Amino acid sequence: MKNFKFNAKLKTPQKGLLLTALIIAQLGLAQNKPDASYKGVVGKTLAESKEYWPDPVKTPAGAPNVVWILLDDVGFGASSSFGGLISTPTFDALANNGLRYTNFHTTAICAPTRAALLTGRNSGRVHVSGFSHTILSAGFPGWDGRIPSDKGTIAEILRENGYNTFAVGKYGVTPDEDATDAGPFDRWPTGKGFDHFFGFLGSQTDQYNPDLVEDQAHVKPDGRHLNEQITDKAIGYIKAQQKAAPGKPFFLYYAPGAVHAPHQVEEKWVKPYEGKFNEGWDVYREKVLANQKKLGVIPANAVLPERNAIISEWKKLTPDQKKVYARFMEVYAGFLTYTDYEIGRVVNYLKETNQFDNTVIFVAIGDNGASKEGTQVGTISQSLFSQGVTDEQNLQSNLNNIGEIGTAKGLNTNYPLGWAQATNVPFKNWKQDAQSEGGTRNPLIVHYPKGIKEKGGIRNQYSHVTDILPTTLEITGIKAPEAIREIKQDKIQGSSFYTSLNDAKAESLHKVQYYYIFGNRAIYKDGWKAAAAHANPFTSPNAGGKPQPANFDADVWELYNLNEDFNERNDLAKKHPEKLAELKKLFDEQAKENNLYPLIDWSDVLGRKIHNTTGDKNQNLQELIKQATKGGGAH
C-alpha cells in the first residue's frame, strides 16, 4: 500500500470505485488484527500461533464482603442506637462493636439519596435532583430521573472486580415508563450491576401487597410482610452463591421500604409499646436529648430547638387526640423494631456461617429526616393531598378507625407531625427540608471486625451519602474504574472517610456540599452553612394542593456556624453578611457544576403538566396526584 500511486487521469467514477476498494481493504486488515489487549500470537497455523487467556477477574486478596443497609424515613432521634426510645438491639450491637458517625448527611428525600449513594456522585450530577417518577421529573439534565451509564454504581464496580452483587427492598430510581415487564431493563437494578434483585422499583409500597419485582419481572406477593420476604431472599442469595463459590466476596444492598408509610406491622411488635408514648412528644424530646448526651452522639451542652409553631403542646391536646396520636407512634415504633429484627436475621446468618468478621457493614438509619407527610393529625388511608377535608374530619376518621392503624387496611398510615419533630431530636424541621440538619442528618453505623480496632467509638467528621462508595472501595482495595463496559466514567465526587475508621481525629475530606429538595436549598463549606427554606404548597403540612409559581427570590437565607451551633439555633446572617454572600456564590457554582439549574419545586412541575392538559383542571390535578402516589408513591 505504501508504494501505491494514485492515477490522477482516472475518470471520476473510477476514482470512486478505487477509493471504496482501498477503504474496504483497510477495514479488512483492521478487523483481522487481534484486540489491543490480546497478548498471544496469531499465526496462519496453530503451530505458528501462541494461545493467550486473560486472567480471571479476582477480588483483591482478603477483600471483605460488603453490606449496605439503608432504612427509609427515620429521624436522628428514633432508634435506641442514637438515644431514641424505640428499641433497635441489632443496630445497638453493631454500633457498640463498631462506630457511630454523628455528622453523616443524606439529601433530605429518598430518590436523590439513593442515586447519590449508589453512584458516589451528587444527585443532580446523576440526573436525580427530583425523582424518577414521570410526574416528578423534568426534561433537563439534572432532573430527568435517568442515571447515565457514565455514572456507574457501586454494584457495577464491585461486580467488575469479582464480587457477586445482590439488592433487596426499595430501589426507587427506575423511571416509571421503564418499570413494566417490557422494560427496557438497563435502568432496573439488574441493568445497574446487580446479579439479583428482589423488591419494588418505586418509592413506596403496601407492605403486605407490594408491587413486587424479582430480577426482570413482576411477581406475585405471597401475603407475608415485605420485610420477611426480602430477608429470606437476601439470605438465599448469599447461601446459593457461597455454595457455588465458597469464600467469594459478595455485596448486599439491603434497603427495606421500612419505615416509610404505610406503617404496617403485626400487632405482636406493637404490643410492647402500648402506653409507652402516652406522655407525648414533648416529654419524648426531653428524654431523647438526655439519652443522646449520655451516649456522646451530641454535645454535652446541646439545647433543644423550640417546638415548631405548628406543633401543638401535648398537654393541651384533647383525650381523643392523645389516644389516637399515641397509637400512631406505637405502630411506628413496632415497625422500626421489627425492621431491626429482620436485619438481625441477616447478621445472625453471617455469624452462623463464619462470614461476619470479614464483612464490612454500613447502616444508614434513614435516607432523610423523619417524615412530615402524615399531616397534623396522622393518616390511615387518607391521601396526603386530600382536598376539602379538614383536620377535624380526618381526626374523627382516625379515631373511628383506630383499629386499622398498622394493619393491612391502613394503606397510607403515617404518624402526626408532632412525632416527626420528636423523632428528629435534636434537630429542627424534618424530611424534605434540605435547608435544615433535620432533613439531612441521619445516624450512620460502620461495623467491620477485621478493619476497626475500636469498639463503640464516636466519629464526628462531616460526611455525606456520596462518601460511602469511595470509602467502600478503599476498604476493599479496589480503584475507581476509568471505564465500565468500555464506557468512560465520570469522576466520583464523594470523599472517602476510611482514615477515620481507626483515627477519631482524622480530617474530614468532604469540604463542600450543596443541598436541594423542592426549592429548599443549602450550601455547606468547612463547618459553615447558608440555607434558605422555600414556600411550597405541595410539601407543606396541610397543603392546599393548588400549584402556584415558585418565587425563589423571596426566600430568606440564614447562616449557621455548625462547628459551634450544630443544630442551627443561632442565625448569623446579619452578623456575617460577607460569609453569607460567599456561600451563596458557592451555591451558584455548585448548582451549575451539578446540573441543578433550573431550580424546580414540585408545584412548578405539576403546574406545568396541568397547564399542558385539557378539560377540567381540578380533575386533571387529581389525576396527576393519583399518578404521583400510585404504586411507587410520591416520596
Side-chain angles (χ1 to χ4, degrees):
M1 299 297 295
K2 214 195 262 185
N3 298 322
F4 176 82
K5 291 183 181 179
F6 187 77
N7 186 349
K9 294 180 180 179
L10 287 174
K11 293 181 180 179
T12 301
Q14 292 174 309
K15 289 182 185 178
L17 288 171
L18 192 53
L19 283 171
T20 301
L22 287 171
I23 291 168
I24 292 171
Q26 291 281 27
L27 286 172
L29 288 170
Q31 288 171 352
N32 289 331
K33 288 181 180 178
D35 187 278
S37 62
Y38 184 72
K39 297 176 184 176
V41 176
V42 179
K44 288 184 178 180
T45 66
L46 183 60
E48 296 171 335
S49 305
K50 182 180 178 182
E51 286 184 285
Y52 165 75
W53 298 97
D55 293 331
V57 175
K58 290 183 180 179
T59 55
N65 304 313
V66 177
V67 176
W68 285 7
I69 297 167
L70 177 67
L71 269 68
D72 201 330
D73 282 9
V74 190
F76 195 91
S79 76
S80 55
S81 307
F82 278 71
L85 304 187
I86 302 174
S87 176
T88 50
T90 301
F91 298 160
D92 294 354
L94 292 172
N96 292 338
N97 291 283
L99 301 172
R100 288 176 171 87
Y101 281 79
T102 69
N103 201 3
F104 170 73
H105 294 77
T106 55
T107 71
I109 209 163
C110 63
T113 289
R114 289 158 203 273
L117 171 68
L118 289 168
T119 64
R121 301 168 177 94
N122 285 319
S123 55
R125 195 173 185 94
V126 298
H127 296 211
V128 192
S129 291
F131 287 85
S132 294
H133 303 311
T134 304
I135 186 119
L136 297 175
S137 59
F140 302 100
W143 292 89
D144 61 26
R146 294 163 172 78
I147 299 175
S149 297
D150 69 338
K151 277 85 173 165
T153 69
I154 182 67
E156 290 175 292
I157 296 170
L158 293 182
R159 187 165 70 177
E160 291 219 341
N161 284 275
Y163 277 76
N164 281 119
T165 55
F166 315 121
V168 297
K170 172 174 170 174
Y171 191 60
V173 286
T174 297
D176 286 347
E177 54 268 38
D178 293 359
T180 73
D181 287 351
F185 301 106
D186 53 327
R187 291 190 175 94
W188 286 42
T190 52
K192 289 294 183 182
F194 289 102
D195 295 330
H196 290 292
F197 171 74
F198 181 84
F200 61 102
L201 300 177
S203 294
Q204 141 179 357
T205 199
D206 185 326
Q207 294 294 308
Y208 289 107
N209 187 31
D211 184 20
L212 201 56
V213 162
E214 182 158 21
D215 293 340
Q216 294 184 352
H218 283 79
V219 295
K220 187 176 180 180
D222 64 11
R224 294 180 300 151
H225 197 286
L226 182 59
N227 277 1
E228 183 179 358
Q229 294 184 63
I230 67 171
T231 302
D232 285 351
K233 282 291 181 180
I235 292 171
Y237 290 149
I238 297 168
K239 186 181 293 185
Q241 180 245 17
Q242 288 297 301
K243 182 178 180 181
K248 183 180 180 182
F250 64 83
F251 168 57
L252 171 65
Y253 176 45
Y254 185 105
V259 284
H260 193 293
H263 302 160
Q264 295 169 311
V265 66
E266 286 185 46
E267 183 63 22
K268 69 178 182 180
W269 294 100
V270 179
K271 199 162 184 62
Y273 289 104
E274 286 182 0
K276 296 290 186 182
F277 304 109
N278 288 351
E279 293 177 308
W281 44 60
D282 296 318
V283 171
Y284 182 102
R285 293 179 77 212
E286 296 289 348
K287 286 183 175 180
V288 171
L289 188 77
N291 288 348
Q292 290 173 336
K293 289 180 180 180
K294 287 178 186 175
L295 276 174
V297 295
I298 64 172
N301 62 350
V303 176
L304 279 177
E306 294 295 321
R307 186 193 314 106
N308 192 294
I310 62 175
I311 304 296
S312 300
E313 188 176 359
W314 183 267
K315 66 183 181 182
K316 293 182 179 178
L317 298 176
T318 67
D320 282 348
Q321 286 174 317
K322 291 178 180 177
K323 177 182 177 181
V324 72
Y325 295 171
R327 175 62 180 177
F328 273 112
M329 186 57 180
E330 291 166 8
V331 167
Y332 178 81
F335 193 15
L336 181 55
T337 297
Y338 170 55
T339 302
D340 175 272
Y341 165 80
E342 288 293 344
I343 292 167
R345 288 178 55 210
V346 176
V347 170
N348 289 336
Y349 175 75
L350 295 176
K351 289 179 179 178
E352 291 164 4
T353 53
N354 298 315
Q355 299 180 80
F356 185 65
D357 286 351
N358 194 37
T359 300
V360 56
I361 301 175
F362 294 83
V363 184
I365 306 180
D367 55 355
N368 42 245
S371 171
K372 68 179 180 181
E373 292 147 11
T375 76
Q376 298 275 38
V377 299
T379 60
I380 300 178
S381 297
Q382 304 96 323
S383 167
L384 171 65
F385 307 98
S386 297
Q387 297 186 56
V389 181
T390 65
D391 280 350
E392 290 74 18
Q393 289 171 318
N394 275 340
L395 174 63
Q396 189 59 50
S397 175
N398 291 341
L399 194 61
N400 294 342
N401 298 288
I402 194 170
E404 292 183 5
I405 298 174
T407 70
K409 292 182 179 179
L411 298 180
N412 198 37
T413 301
N414 203 347
Y415 55 31
L417 196 57
W419 289 119
Q421 178 161 283
T423 54
N424 247 8
V425 170
F427 303 109
K428 61 184 181 181
N429 299 326
W430 26 58
K431 176 181 177 179
Q432 302 179 14
D433 292 334
Q435 82 282 4
S436 171
E437 295 293 285
T440 64
R441 198 145 160 172
N442 285 91
L444 176 69
I445 298 167
V446 183
H447 184 277
Y448 183 25
K450 282 194 174 180
I452 298 174
K453 299 172 186 175
E454 183 182 1
K455 291 185 177 182
I458 302 289
R459 297 292 184 267
N460 299 315
Q461 290 86 351
Y462 178 90
S463 59
H464 186 260
V465 67
T466 53
D467 298 340
I468 292 182
L469 185 149
T471 304
T472 298
L473 295 186
E474 194 161 359
I475 290 171
T476 58
I478 293 171
K479 291 183 178 180
E482 292 184 7
I484 294 177
R485 294 194 297 276
E486 299 183 357
I487 298 173
K488 186 179 179 182
Q489 293 296 292
D490 191 12
K491 66 180 180 180
I492 289 173
Q493 294 177 295
S495 303
S496 172
F497 54 82
Y498 176 77
T499 56
S500 70
L501 296 183
N502 288 300
D503 182 1
K505 296 181 180 179
E507 178 186 1
S508 172
L509 301 180
H510 201 125
K511 305 294 187 183
V512 173
Q513 183 59 49
Y514 83 92
Y515 296 91
Y516 185 91
I517 297 295
F518 295 151
N520 300 319
R521 50 195 154 145
I523 183 72
Y524 167 92
K525 182 182 179 184
D526 292 334
W528 285 89
K529 179 177 170 184
H534 181 67
N536 187 310
F538 283 100
T539 56
S540 301
N542 294 328
K546 295 180 180 179
Q548 300 173 3
N551 182 4
F552 293 98
D553 292 335
D555 296 343
V556 177
W557 285 83
E558 299 175 349
L559 178 69
Y560 298 99
N561 182 349
L562 299 183
N563 294 325
E564 300 173 359
D565 176 27
F566 82 107
N567 59 351
E568 301 171 310
R569 297 179 64 247
N570 185 20
D571 179 11
L572 302 174
K574 292 181 180 178
K575 187 175 181 180
H576 296 289
E578 72 294 338
K579 174 60 75 172
L580 179 59
E582 172 195 328
L583 290 176
K584 287 172 70 175
K585 182 173 182 260
L586 180 61
F587 178 88
D588 180 64
E589 294 168 358
Q590 287 291 300
K592 291 174 181 175
E593 180 181 339
N594 289 284
N595 300 325
L596 185 57
Y597 289 147
L599 298 181
I600 299 175
D601 70 19
W602 195 4
S603 59
D604 283 332
V605 177
L606 287 178
R608 186 181 297 252
K609 290 178 186 289
I610 290 167
H611 180 73
N612 290 335
T613 59
T614 58
D616 180 59
K617 289 190 176 181
N618 288 328
Q619 186 177 352
N620 288 330
L621 173 59
Q622 291 303 316
E623 184 58 34
L624 288 168
I625 288 169
K626 196 182 289 185
Q627 290 177 33
T629 55
K630 181 184 177 183
H635 309 295

